[in-house]
Amino acid sequence: MPVEILCSRHDRAASLLGKLVFILALLVAGCAITLATTPAGGVQFIAEDDDGIATLVIETPAPRWIAVGDGYMPELPGYGRAEISGQADLPLRRERIALPPGGQLVVLDVQTEWVEGQLPGPLMNWPAHAPGSTLAQSAGSAGYDEQPLSVAVADGAVRGARFASLAIAPLQVDIEQGRYRAARRIEVRLRRGSFGELQAKRSSRTATALE
């Protein structure tokens, strides 16, 4: 086979491989900032309505109680750890919400379906698997928190793309009473756009209606 043909085929293959690598890099970068826009691990981001309000639906399975040392630690698939020193080792997950230019994340409403139960025994402090970890005496406050989520990062950036981050803690414990409650379903209504963008959309809808 002539050398020219071999070189031509090699160049075409190298060019195709380079394009595939570039496309894969774009997909990976996109996933980093749009994680909350597709169903993943029980999280679904529902598109915004005409008023710029979106709905984030979070569904979690029942916790698994793992025996560790002299106590227990709860696990939820797809969740990491809260990593708060001196407090019970509980699950936590962070979800990134992409922000448009000039946008700001505003949580408007949170509706939660709770399921309550009895703790299997004493809980371990974080990190539960570390040598010498002690039993938890509290979960940070008496009783339960009001909401299972909070805004962890109001304005961050990845590769020039802006995002906010929600900290989701669906499992709460009352160590003094020996009980827990788990958020089986959380529905969050939020807004990502700027006030000026919302006003522009409303003005456009009004003008269209008057035509």
Side-chain angles (χ1 to χ4, degrees), residues 39-123:
V43 178
Q44 183 179 8
F45 190 82
I46 301 175
E48 297 170 344
D49 59 19
D50 292 339
D51 290 324
I53 298 175
T55 302
L56 184 67
V57 178
I58 305 158
E59 295 182 346
T60 60
R64 295 174 57 242
W65 299 96
I66 310 300
V68 181
D70 297 327
Y72 294 85
M73 62 171 285
E75 286 189 348
L76 289 174
Y79 283 72
R81 314 307 298 175
E83 299 184 358
I84 302 177
S85 180
Q87 294 185 18
D89 195 340
L90 300 178
L92 181 77
R93 176 173 180 157
R94 288 182 172 83
E95 284 293 332
R96 288 178 179 171
I97 309 295
L99 296 177
Q104 180 181 3
L105 180 64
V106 178
V107 176
L108 302 174
D109 183 55
V110 179
Q111 298 293 329
T112 309
E113 295 179 8
W114 295 102
V115 176
E116 296 196 24
Q118 192 77 25
L119 291 175
L123 301 183

Side-chain angles (χ1 to χ4, degrees), residues 201-211:
K201 288 182 179 179
R202 288 176 175 173
S203 298
S204 177
R205 292 203 305 270
T206 301
T208 302
L210 294 175
E211 290 178 355

Side-chain angles (χ1 to χ4, degrees), residues 134-197:
T134 58
L135 294 177
Q137 302 300 319
S138 73
S141 61
Y144 300 127
D145 295 328
E146 183 176 351
Q147 299 292 356
L149 59 81
S150 61
V151 178
V153 177
D155 193 351
V158 173
R159 300 180 182 90
R162 296 178 60 242
F163 72 90
S165 177
L166 291 176
I168 306 168
L171 185 66
Q172 300 179 0
V173 297
D174 186 340
I175 292 180
E176 292 184 359
Q177 299 298 321
R179 297 189 61 80
Y180 75 91
R181 68 175 185 175
R184 300 302 301 274
R185 189 177 191 275
I186 309 171
E187 186 172 311
V188 188
R189 296 175 68 249
L190 53 85
R191 180 179 288 130
R192 302 183 303 162
S194 64
F195 179 75
E197 180 185 12

